[in-house]
Amino acid sequence: MMRTLVLSAGLLLGTLPAQADDLVIDFDGDTGLSERRVISPYHPVEFKPGVTGQAFDFDGYSTQVTGRTDPPALPFTVSAVIAPRSHSPNTAGLVHLVGDTTLRLDMNRWGYPMVRFHNPDDEPLQLVSDTPVRLFEWNTVAVTVDAETIRLTLNGETVAQQGHALGDGVSPGPEVVIGRNPDAPLMDGTFPTGHFNGLMDDIRIGASRQVAEPPAAAPDLSIARTRLDDDPNRPLFHPVPPAGWTNEPHAFFRSDGEWHLFYQANPNGPWWDLMQWGHLVSDDLLTWEPRPQALWPTPGADSQGVWVGDTFEGPNGVITALYTGVNGQWASVGLAQDEGEGLNKSPQNPVITSTPAGYQDMRDPFILRQEDGWLMLIGSGTADRQRPEILSFRSEDLIDWRFDGPLDIGEVERFGEYWELPKLFPIGDQWALFVTTVQPGAPARTQYWLGDWDGTRFTPQDPQPQLLDLFRTQLAHTFARYNESSHVAVGVVPEENRTGEERLEAGWIHGFGLPRIVSLCEGDDRLCQDPMPDIGTLFDAPAQSAATVGPEWQSVASDLDHGRVRLDLDLDNLSPIRIALRATADLEEATILTWYPEDQRLSLDFSRSSLTPHSRSDTLWATLPAETQMFDIFIDGSFVTLFTDTGGSAAFRVFPSREQANHVHLALTEPDSRTERDVDVTVWSISE
């Protein structure tokens, strides 16, 4: 829904004390701007404390302020106080004065302020700062133009200057655009790339060179949950960042009682671009707090993206990260360390400059500590795209790395032309090796082998891999040690059901399945997954009932937009049973799980999950042990996470179109001699 506010005097835009001929836009009162509009297409406008009153919170992909003013004559200064939440995937507009002569005060994709001055009678002028703005802090950016010089300042310091011969009669145009670069292209024809992301206040335009001092208090760059409150697809208890693009979780670790989860992020909007490390923190693995992004692209080896990596305890106990950096031509590996102020990139980056010869690419380093140093595993594939591989590198100091060739894992079954996200760690008395497969035209999958590791060679129990997620709908798992015999795992649950326009209106895309405990199953031949032991604390007291299920559908839960339902089946009766989730009362919409015990098969049918024409309609299949008799299902907006009593787990997304698609129904598959089946049903609602 498009929201365009035409502002009346005194509503949002105002005047601070300054020189008499200065226009000051401070979002508090009246102003000299005319025909002023605040454009916020997808959510109400938001404000945070600013210089003296309130600052405008620009969302990074849709919000802007426009208006008109009397053009300032030379000499003049344009300034703004800004607190960036993130760099933009393209040059972000701060303040533009548009007309026959145009002045653009911007910030490029690496956070360097820049100014462009275009007079039709002269060559365009462009200055770029030699210093970036400070992310997550207040900055004052200003440009001063007089008859001979154009000068760019950042926090009171001159960061770029250039002479010119414009003459005294040149002045910029009357159209004012704040927070958006109208020249920036749309990504995929849908997503705007030139919006500012963060707070802006005290914008001054006029003859005075007086600029505002940044506030002493740190900016509040949090994203209010109320921005997304009316989104029925948004989860309440599944981990999900506050907004923007979300993808592969990684670098998961625990330190000083807190769990740190990093993930691929574009904080500017719900599309893939300019990847950086998002950051979530939890003290209980149940509730998560967003933190500012931990790593982001800078000019050089990672100028086009900071991709997946790993964190570990480095020398002297310092939290250290190795990550994939991309410059638009090739991938490299960068190093960052946390010495008390967050992760800071090493001046010696990149520590691995490029992919070894004979391989198509490399990404996603994973680190193992060894007696003589460090072993790095990196996902890759041969240059002929015929064989996925895990590349191995060794180092004694984390700076100088020696390529040891592909990791020796024996003659395992290799699916895909490329492997991503390799991981190797002990679990119980076994070692587990994980990869995520990449094969054009086929869905990615997280698969694993159990076996032995001697420090050089991994020997699998079975050359055929096993799947971690039953339906391959949860991917890219990251792991952190939970106790001596188990790990915590988190995977991404991507969406495939919304159009670009729907994602743009929502403001977010993708999220994570519930954290789960991963351990060896009895028999040590596969991995079992269970919900966190304290997950019940998220819910109200359960309601329990017994149902006798026949061939006709019956509702066993309703109003379950966010909650949990557990089904305990009678093992004496092996009739196949259907479970309709996110269903309407009339079952016009429903996503249906069907358990065939005698065949040990579980199906997931999306054919009527949504009435929207672009919804998925396929059916997925999984294998479960025949003795499976319990399904523990967590429903949370569009997220569904499933656990079984035999260690199986899956997570997937559902996007019904009808508001009341919040029922759970049960039925047998067809009438036969065993026309009824007893089921114990337990339902929990979410605690508010």
Side-chain angles (χ1 to χ4, degrees), residues 237 284-286 482 487-489 513-519 528-536 538-539 564 566 630-634 641-649 684:
F237 55 89
D284 59 5
L285 294 167
L286 300 175
Y482 185 69
H487 282 66
V488 184
L514 290 178
R516 69 280 316 280
I517 302 296
V518 180
S519 58
C528 280
Q529 301 173 73
D530 297 288
M532 300 304 303
D534 296 331
I535 198 165
L538 295 175
F539 304 97
R564 175 186 185 185
R566 191 180 70 203
M630 187 274 286
F631 293 88
D632 199 358
I633 303 168
F634 296 83
T641 296
L642 160 72
F643 296 93
T644 76
D645 59 331
T646 50
S649 182
W684 293 259

Side-chain angles (χ1 to χ4, degrees), residues 315-368:
N316 303 315
V318 173
I319 297 299
T320 301
L322 285 160
Y323 64 88
T324 307
V326 175
N327 67 1
Q329 296 177 301
W330 60 81
S332 61
V333 175
L335 172 71
Q337 293 180 307
D338 183 352
E339 296 181 346
E341 298 181 353
L343 290 171
N344 291 307
K345 296 178 184 178
S346 170
Q348 295 171 284
N349 279 349
V351 295
I352 298 178
T353 57
S354 60
T355 304
Y359 298 94
Q360 56 180 293
D361 197 359
M362 65 174 185
R363 63 188 70 150
D364 313 335
F366 179 81
I367 304 302
L368 284 167

Side-chain angles (χ1 to χ4, degrees), residues 140-178:
T140 298
V141 182
V143 56
T144 297
V145 183
D146 59 31
E148 298 178 348
T149 306
I150 182 168
R151 182 165 65 98
L152 183 62
T153 62
L154 175 62
N155 299 319
E157 300 290 332
T158 299
V159 289
Q161 183 170 305
Q162 183 175 330
H164 62 78
L166 294 175
D168 294 333
V170 174
S171 61
E175 299 286 343
V176 180
V177 180
I178 301 169

Side-chain angles (χ1 to χ4, degrees), residues 434-498:
F434 294 84
V435 297
T436 295
T437 64
V438 177
Q439 178 68 33
R445 61 187 72 177
T446 298
Q447 57 186 33
Y448 69 92
W449 296 265
L450 296 176
D452 297 321
W453 168 249
D454 65 7
T456 301
R457 187 178 194 275
F458 176 78
T459 304
Q461 288 182 1
D462 186 332
Q464 184 171 349
Q466 302 186 65
L467 294 175
L468 192 61
D469 184 271
L470 290 171
F471 297 113
R472 306 183 303 278
T473 45
Q474 181 175 210
L475 307 169
H477 291 76
T478 186
F479 300 85
R481 180 172 289 280
Y482 185 69
N483 56 32
E484 289 300 314
S485 60
S486 61
H487 282 66
V488 184
V490 178
V492 67
V493 191
E495 64 178 59
E496 301 176 8
N497 300 74
R498 290 192 287 183

